Amino acid sequence: MAVRLRRLGSSATLLLCGLTLCPSTAVAQDDTIGSDGYVHVAPDGTVVGVDPYYPKDGNGGYDVTDYDVALTYNPLTRLIDARTTVSAVTTQRLSRFDLDLRGLSVWRVAVDGVPAAFSRAGEHELVITPATILPAGKEFTVEVAYRGRPTPEQTPRGLTGWRTSRTGGAFAAGAPHPASTWFPVDETTADKATLHVTATVPAGWTAVANGVRTSVHTGQSTTVKWAENTPIAPGATMIAIDRLTVRESTLPSGTPVVDAFAPGASTALAAALPGVVTAMADRLGPFPYPTTGGVYLADRLGQDHPAQGRPVLGADADQQALAHAIAAQWWGNRLSIKLWRDQPMVESFARYLVWLWDEERGGVPVDRRYQDAMRCAGDDPAFWGRVLADPGRGNEFAVTDKGVLMVHALRKLLGDDRFFAVLRGFPEVNDNWNQGWHDWELYTAAVADRDLTGFYDAWVHGRTLPPAQYR
């Protein structure tokens, strides 16, 4: 990914060094072959390596600028027939490169309109060989035509990606790999791009995706177009297809709201959404996207899916799940992670924001939650032995019961003024950027103007109950 530079808002933010996110320019014996995993490079040019949890996530040699997905879905056969055009810029000379696509049968690939050779490798690699070598710095397009029956990915949290619903429809959302189950993608959080979706479905059906609905055409079938013009990480994409009831409204702030309900889905959470968005915006600043809303399913999902601008919520979701999905629009989408080991950072803060929201509406006081949870955890080595900064593959979402306690302990250490300043400030200064634990630690230490090494060693990197001075 080409490094996106911006002027940061304060001198403290200049300390956000961490990893520069870009693909390696020489990762194989033939340096015109793009890597089959996204390679992270330090600011001094040192190759740090691929994501240790998912080393084949993403690819090297190019930076995507836009995905244009056009698909037709047949709910009787559960098959899609699709064409995705990927617009990108090369970051090196390329004789060969990969996209990520799980399952599905590819029948044609063209680079800049010229047919290209292609093959499949590993779990999800679509290997593309253009007719001629692409020079570095070239804008190019890749058109992939494919069809098949999309399937979900099994994760420790349950199924994610493309799934069929009990009402006969289909939807795709969740982490870590929802996008590659339905379109070819550079599936790394480090490469955000705009997303345009055109979905053709049977008459009486409709489709909802990220962003703004730009057109609807009805007849013997229905074709709906959606445009997400704020660059989006692949893990924050979503689509839902069903006999959806779509309801449009506007928040008091003027932000448009698009809610979509599957047959039999409750409308109760949608009624609560304006108040939740307003409460989070009071804490974190204006809603970071030009539209909001949600997709509400009749299926039980086990967790909320905070897709960018439009979360996907199941029949088992409550208002706290809604609040988490909205908090994650700032802590999770606007501010995205670098590596998957950084996921507990954004998850812990999103969960703490739910605690704050619940307290403000008359729920359990935050400090009482903290004290009760600390007593429950005691000195249990199974609880404290999990490392927030490196929870291990499959545990990226499983340590926030410890992480949310860390957040409150940090608040107690910094005091409310500085804590709430950094809670709002970190997503603001990293608008649409990727950051990790290292960056957060540097930022908070700079804003607090104190050494927080002991605190973070105990809470974020430690494996035992933190010392009393940090509790």
Side-chain angles (χ1 to χ4, degrees):
M1 176 181 177
V3 180
R4 297 185 176 106
L5 300 177
R6 68 179 66 221
R7 186 177 300 276
L8 300 180
S10 73
S11 59
T13 63
L14 297 177
L15 293 173
L16 302 180
C17 51
L19 300 180
T20 299
L21 298 174
C22 58
S24 170
T25 57
V27 295
Q29 186 174 1
D30 181 348
D31 65 5
T32 68
I33 298 177
S35 60
D36 61 357
Y38 193 90
V39 180
H40 299 270
V41 182
D44 63 2
T46 302
V47 175
V48 176
V50 295
D51 191 308
Y53 293 179
Y54 304 99
K56 298 298 185 182
D57 275 13
N59 305 284
Y62 60 90
D63 175 21
V64 178
T65 55
D66 179 72
Y67 298 101
D68 191 339
V69 184
L71 65 85
T72 298
Y73 181 66
N74 184 335
L76 294 178
T77 62
R78 299 182 177 179
L79 295 172
I80 65 169
D81 196 338
R83 183 192 72 254
T84 291
T85 300
V86 181
S87 299
V89 179
T90 60
T91 58
Q92 65 179 75
R93 294 176 71 241
L94 279 180
S95 64
R96 194 177 78 196
F97 60 91
D98 291 14
L99 287 167
D100 301 315
L101 182 66
R102 296 172 187 274
L104 302 173
S105 298
V106 176
W107 59 272
R108 180 179 184 273
V109 175
V111 175
D112 286 340
V114 178
F118 62 91
S119 61
R120 304 302 290 268
E123 182 183 1
H124 56 72
E125 301 293 336
L126 173 61
V127 184
I128 299 169
T129 304
T132 59
I133 294 178
L134 304 176
K138 174 180 170 53
E139 296 181 358
F140 70 106
T141 61
V142 185
E143 183 180 298
V144 181
Y146 56 102
R147 58 172 66 99
R149 183 175 289 115
T151 56
E153 180 186 27
Q154 180 66 55
T155 76
R157 304 174 71 216
L159 298 177
T160 62
W162 188 283
R163 285 161 282 177
T164 54
S165 65
R166 71 177 187 84
T167 55
F171 63 98
H177 305 122
S180 59
T181 62
W182 62 287
F183 67 94
V185 59
D186 187 26
E187 197 154 41
T188 168
T189 59
D191 195 358
K192 295 183 178 182
T194 54
L195 173 67
H196 295 81
V197 175
T198 302
T200 299
V201 295
W205 290 57
T206 194
V208 173
N210 304 89
V212 176
R213 185 172 58 182
T214 59
S215 69
V216 180
H217 296 286
T218 57
Q220 291 185 334
S221 60
T222 299
T223 298
V224 192
K225 293 188 175 184
W226 293 87
E228 176 52 275
N229 292 318
T230 302
I232 183 172
T237 59
M238 59 75 58
I239 189 171
I241 299 171
D242 208 328
R243 297 179 181 86
L244 300 169
T245 299
V246 178
R247 189 174 69 192
E248 300 184 59
S249 58
T250 304
L251 294 179
S253 64
T255 301
V257 179
V258 177
D259 290 313
F261 307 90
S266 171
T267 61
L269 286 184
L273 183 138
V276 174
V277 173
T278 298
M280 294 296 174
D282 287 345
R283 202 57 97 178
L284 300 169
F287 191 74
Y289 303 107
T291 182
T292 186
V295 172
Y296 307 91
L297 304 176
D299 301 70
R300 298 176 66 86
L301 301 184
Q303 67 269 332
D304 57 281
H305 297 309
Q308 182 164 303
R310 188 155 295 115
V312 177
L313 298 154
D316 50 345
D318 56 15
Q319 288 196 25
Q320 294 210 19
L322 173 65
H324 173 268
I326 297 302
Q329 301 304 312
W330 285 268
W331 278 89
N333 291 339
R334 185 184 193 186
L335 166 68
S336 300
I337 59 171
K338 286 180 174 177
L339 304 173
W340 278 107
R341 67 189 180 201
D342 298 318
Q343 184 64 31
M345 179 187 70
V346 293
E347 279 290 306
S348 297
F349 282 92
R351 182 169 173 180
Y352 190 72
L353 283 157
V354 177
W355 281 18
L356 293 171
W357 166 82
D358 187 58
E359 179 183 58
E360 289 167 356
R361 60 196 287 270
V364 180
V366 168
D367 197 61
R368 185 191 303 169
R369 281 182 186 259
Y370 171 80
Q371 299 295 347
D372 289 347
M374 291 294 291
R375 280 192 294 271
C376 183
D379 60 358
D380 181 5
F383 183 89
W384 297 108
R386 301 167 300 160
V387 179
L388 292 178
D390 193 6
R393 175 172 174 159
N395 297 317
E396 303 94 332
F397 297 87
V399 295
T400 51
D401 51 350
K402 177 181 176 182
V404 71
L405 300 181
M406 178 276 297
V407 176
H408 189 66
L410 180 65
R411 175 183 173 184
K412 292 159 75 75
L413 184 68
L414 297 184
D416 279 5
D417 288 347
R418 285 180 172 170
F419 173 79
F420 287 112
V422 296
L423 183 68
R424 175 171 176 156
F426 200 50
E428 279 186 342
V429 301
N430 292 292
D431 186 12
N432 217 36
W433 270 41
N434 304 80
Q435 298 291 0
W437 281 112
H438 179 68
D439 310 292
W440 168 251
E441 292 174 29
L442 291 176
Y443 179 80
T444 50
V447 174
D449 193 24
R450 62 186 296 182
D451 184 358
L452 298 176
T453 303
F455 176 88
Y456 285 124
D457 282 349
W459 275 100
V460 177
H461 306 282
R463 296 178 178 273
T464 59
L465 174 67
Q469 68 194 89
Y470 299 128
R471 300 204 301 268

